[in-house]
Amino acid sequence: MPAKRRKLTLDDYTQGVLAADIGILSRAITLVESQHPVHQALAQELLTRLLPHPGNSIRVGITGVPGAGKSTLIESLGCLLCDRGHRLAVLAVDPSSSVSGGSILGDKTRMENLVRHPHAFIRPSPSGGSLGGVARKSRETILLCEAAGFSIILVETVGVGQNEITVRSMVDFFLLIMLAGAGDELQGMKKGVIEIADLLAVNKADGDNLQRANLACAEYRRVLGLLQPATPGWKTRCTTCSALQPETLAALWQTIEKFVTTTRDSGAFATRREHQAITWMHAMIEEELHHRFFRNPRIQQLLPDLEQQVAKHHLPAATAARQLLLAAATP
Amino acid sequence: MPAKRRKLTLDDYTQGVLAADIGILSRAITLVESQHPVHQALAQELLTRLLPHPGNSIRVGITGVPGAGKSTLIESLGCLLCDRGHRLAVLAVDPSSSVSGGSILGDKTRMENLVRHPHAFIRPSPSGGSLGGVARKSRETILLCEAAGFSIILVETVGVGQNEITVRSMVDFFLLIMLAGAGDELQGMKKGVIEIADLLAVNKADGDNLQRANLACAEYRRVLGLLQPATPGWKTRCTTCSALQPETLAALWQTIEKFVTTTRDSGAFATRREHQAITWMHAMIEEELHHRFFRNPRIQQLLPDLEQQVAKHHLPAATAARQLLLAAATP
């Protein structure tokens, strides 16, 4: 029987991940993604063992509207980093992928060169469930990848809905990929996304498009001057880049390295990670409390009518809330 | 014994509020603000009776950094509206007022003329408690004022913390008061505030300051062109104004009236109010679930150490969350 088919013990997982065995890492991620209670318990034990190991990683969130060229940019930047000897994991957070069949990273052929690189590990978005569920799995996958020695984690997400805020809460640095043509592009973006970014990169800044990209970049810089930066002690910047011009990607990465140095020195880096971990714990508690309440059959029975009455201004919101809380508490 | 000292029945409150008896309205608001369970139960009954009455009111949130001239502007605008025959209530939402002694509306002498106007009713921020508590009281005070026939409700808040988001969730229109000198001012503002505004007004646009105000306004318009509007079907605008020039305030109010007409016609106005009421109900439920959980002595005992372990990356967040949820569930 081939070794990879046998059931793995906690020790197998631990040693395999720490030894950067990609087959075992993949199975550990599958374990983390599983909804099965036994798998979840095992996954938590594994994470508890591995937690002290994640070292000097950099977690970078990348977002942008569809068509902004995220995948091509990640492929080019990823190859550049791997060629320099970095070990790179690329993950995706896309709750819609279970419905749409995977809009990002679903088709690994889009990152043909990177996927073949021995230093790279690419994992599509976990399927199924809410953003909260996908986010939990992705956070834990980050930890597994770090334990396996991947020192750069790129987390890609699509520029819709609540995704960016969630990804921002699990990364050190947040990169927003933009296109020239500015105004129209941004209209389609979720509110506040510029304000959670540490760097805006106007992509496809090459050929005929170069001048427009430079103009857009100047415009964004003006906007950034009016907004509060996402990270204390780091002024959010705007740059142009092109996957066709590796030197622009090298410069982009240099900015990220500068960010890491600056925030590690100031302590903002460590403070954010601590804060993220605690916030995440609280978010999971709130989510569970919410689910327990709203899965209660009595609540499910009462809710639609009460919501309707509140919406139609026939019942004060506080009264409806009390009725529901009382109904849930009654045995 | 003077009538105003006797204990009021539910009927007294109902009839008094509907008859626009300011003394009874004030006492009804005090009832709504009370933490006493008996008062709260009575307040909910009163609100249930009054709810169908609020008619064609306009709820306007007003915020801006300290020193932006909010009070003076509200006073001038308020007098203008009252002189036109409108009945106007001015409320404040400021959770810090219980600590600071009231930074807004606390000193009614700042609105000397308005406070004496027979068509105006001014109520300072409810004191004590969290933003959530202050917000609940303010929402219910809005309903009482509307039932008493006040057709324009101005809700003032200070430009710090989470206040604006909360006030946005209880008003139809959100006005952000700015100053020329732009960049620096905005740096001090909470992220995303521009994106929840329906109108930016660069204040103190008079005398030597006029040109700077116009420049700032042009700059903000550029920014607004890049951001998503706060209300579907309404392009967020920027204007200049000055409390010294009533015609600028008349123009400002005209913009608000245009907003109301536009969104009433499109249905966005009614949809937002329905949505706000339901969201509010859910927020109160979540808040109560949260409080019940974290007031649990067992949780209070376990939490500090678990938070510490999670922050130091010694324990996975999910494991800590589970331990707490389990501890709360154990009898």
Side-chain angles (χ1 to χ4, degrees), chain A residues 40 44 48 51 186-187 189 192 195 223 225-226 228 274 282 284 286 290 307 311-312 315-316 318-319 322, chain B residues 40 44 51 186-187 189 192 195 223 225-226 228 274 282 284 286 290 307 311-312 315-316 318-319 322:
Chain A
Q40 290 194 354
Q44 288 304 312
T48 307
L51 262 190
L186 252 178
Q187 295 293 331
M189 297 207 66
E195 286 162 302
V223 175
L226 296 171
Q228 212 182 344
E274 285 183 20
H282 279 274
M284 276 185 289
E286 304 284 354
H290 176 94
E307 277 195 345
K312 296 301 169 209
L315 196 68
T319 305
R322 271 170 207 214
Chain B
Q40 290 194 354
Q44 288 304 311
L51 263 190
L186 252 177
Q187 295 292 331
M189 297 207 64
E195 287 161 302
V223 174
L226 295 171
Q228 212 181 344
E274 287 184 18
H282 278 275
M284 277 185 288
E286 304 283 354
H290 176 94
E307 276 195 347
K312 297 299 168 211
L315 195 67
T319 304
R322 271 171 208 214

Side-chain angles (χ1 to χ4, degrees), chain A residues 100-136:
Chain A
S100 67
S103 57
I104 51 174
L105 291 181
D107 184 5
K108 283 194 191 175
T109 57
R110 290 197 300 159
M111 297 195 187
E112 264 190 343
N113 295 315
L114 188 59
V115 88
R116 281 196 299 252
H117 204 294
H119 286 175
F121 175 73
I122 300 183
R123 182 88 182 188
S125 183
S127 66
S130 61
L131 177 56
V134 168
R136 180 188 65 75

Side-chain angles (χ1 to χ4, degrees), chain A residues 186-249:
Chain A
L186 252 178
Q187 295 293 331
M189 297 207 66
K190 175 101 179 102
K191 285 175 200 174
V193 170
I194 286 190
E195 286 162 302
I196 60 172
D198 295 303
L199 176 64
L200 274 54
V202 182
N203 198 15
K204 303 186 184 177
D206 45 45
D208 292 351
N209 208 33
L210 183 57
Q211 205 190 343
R212 285 174 63 222
N214 284 332
L215 281 174
C217 197
E219 186 82 342
Y220 286 126
R221 280 190 191 126
R222 204 190 300 259
V223 175
L224 288 171
L226 296 171
L227 301 174
Q228 212 182 344
T231 302
W234 174 261
K235 197 170 162 351
T236 304
R237 305 170 182 205
C238 187
T239 187
T240 56
C241 67
S242 160
L244 304 177
Q245 296 175 325
E247 70 277 12
T248 63
L249 302 182

Side-chain angles (χ1 to χ4, degrees), chain A residues 143-156:
Chain A
L143 299 177
L144 291 174
C145 290
E146 288 174 347
F150 290 97
S151 58
I152 301 175
I153 318 285
L154 302 184
V155 185
E156 183 186 2

Side-chain angles (χ1 to χ4, degrees), chain A residues 75-87:
Chain A
E75 155 118 12
S76 302
L77 176 64
C79 287
L80 183 148
L81 295 171
C82 288
D83 287 346
R84 288 185 186 175
H86 292 292
R87 295 189 60 224

Side-chain angles (χ1 to χ4, degrees), chain A:
Chain A
M1 200 205 290
K4 64 185 294 193
R5 297 221 163 249
R6 81 183 160 84
K7 195 170 168 188
L8 298 176
T9 65
L10 185 56
D11 281 342
D12 293 334
Y13 277 118
T14 311
Q15 286 154 22
V17 169
L18 290 176
D21 179 321
I22 295 303
I24 292 184
L25 173 62
S26 297
R27 288 178 69 181
I29 295 174
T30 304
L31 192 71
V32 151
E33 291 178 354
S34 168
Q35 308 281 7
H36 195 294
V38 172
H39 295 165
Q40 290 194 354
L42 189 60
Q44 288 304 312
E45 281 192 74
L46 177 61
L47 286 166
T48 307
R49 285 196 184 190
L50 294 173
L51 262 190
H53 294 280
N56 292 312
S57 66
I58 307 175
R59 304 169 185 167
V60 177
I62 302 181
T63 194
V65 291
K70 290 186 295 298
S71 296
T72 310
L73 185 135
I74 290 173
E75 155 118 12
S76 302
L77 176 64
C79 287
L80 183 148
L81 295 171
C82 288
D83 287 346
R84 288 185 186 175
H86 292 292
R87 295 189 60 224
L88 173 81
V90 183
L91 316 176
V93 171
D94 179 13
S96 69
S97 67
S98 54
V99 181
S100 67
S103 57
I104 51 174
L105 291 181
D107 184 5
K108 283 194 191 175
T109 57
R110 290 197 300 159
M111 297 195 187
E112 264 190 343
N113 295 315
L114 188 59
V115 88
R116 281 196 299 252
H117 204 294
H119 286 175
F121 175 73
I122 300 183
R123 182 88 182 188
S125 183
S127 66
S130 61
L131 177 56
V134 168
R136 180 188 65 75
K137 296 166 188 174
S138 299
R139 284 172 189 277
E140 294 178 348
T141 297
I142 290 175
L143 299 177
L144 291 174
C145 290
E146 288 174 347
F150 290 97
S151 58
I152 301 175
I153 318 285
L154 302 184
V155 185
E156 183 186 2
T157 193
V158 278
V160 290
Q162 183 66 10
N163 298 1
E164 283 95 347
I165 309 289
T166 304
V167 169
R168 166 78 270 187
S169 74
M170 61 178 85
V171 297
D172 307 310
F173 184 94
F174 198 68
L175 171 63
L176 175 56
I177 310 290
M178 317 284 284
L179 285 178
D184 300 336
E185 256 61 47
L186 252 178
Q187 295 293 331
M189 297 207 66
K190 175 101 179 102
K191 285 175 200 174
V193 170
I194 286 190
E195 286 162 302
I196 60 172
D198 295 303
L199 176 64
L200 274 54
V202 182
N203 198 15
K204 303 186 184 177
D206 45 45
D208 292 351
N209 208 33
L210 183 57
Q211 205 190 343
R212 285 174 63 222
N214 284 332
L215 281 174
C217 197
E219 186 82 342
Y220 286 126
R221 280 190 191 126
R222 204 190 300 259
V223 175
L224 288 171
L226 296 171
L227 301 174
Q228 212 182 344
T231 302
W234 174 261
K235 197 170 162 351
T236 304
R237 305 170 182 205
C238 187
T239 187
T240 56
C241 67
S242 160
L244 304 177
Q245 296 175 325
E247 70 277 12
T248 63
L249 302 182
L252 192 152
W253 188 254
Q254 210 170 9
T255 301
I256 296 179
E257 281 180 329
K258 182 153 192 218
F259 171 93
V260 172
T261 310
T262 306
T263 55
R264 282 214 173 116
D265 286 350
S266 73
F269 190 95
T271 304
R272 171 177 266 152
R273 283 211 178 175
E274 285 183 20
H275 189 74
Q276 285 177 339
I278 293 182
T279 305
W280 176 22
M281 182 192 84
H282 279 274
M284 276 185 289
I285 291 172
E286 304 284 354
E287 189 178 281
E288 180 61 21
L289 294 176
H290 176 94
H291 282 156
R292 283 184 191 171
F293 187 85
F294 288 100
R295 273 196 220 113
N296 181 328
R298 204 183 302 228
I299 299 302
Q300 291 185 342
Q301 197 194 334
L302 290 170
L303 189 64
D305 180 53
L306 285 173
E307 277 195 345
Q308 196 63 15
Q309 287 192 58
V310 167
K312 296 301 169 209
H313 313 297
H314 296 157
L315 196 68
T319 305
R322 271 170 207 214
Q323 287 186 15
L324 289 167
L325 287 160
L326 200 66
T330 314

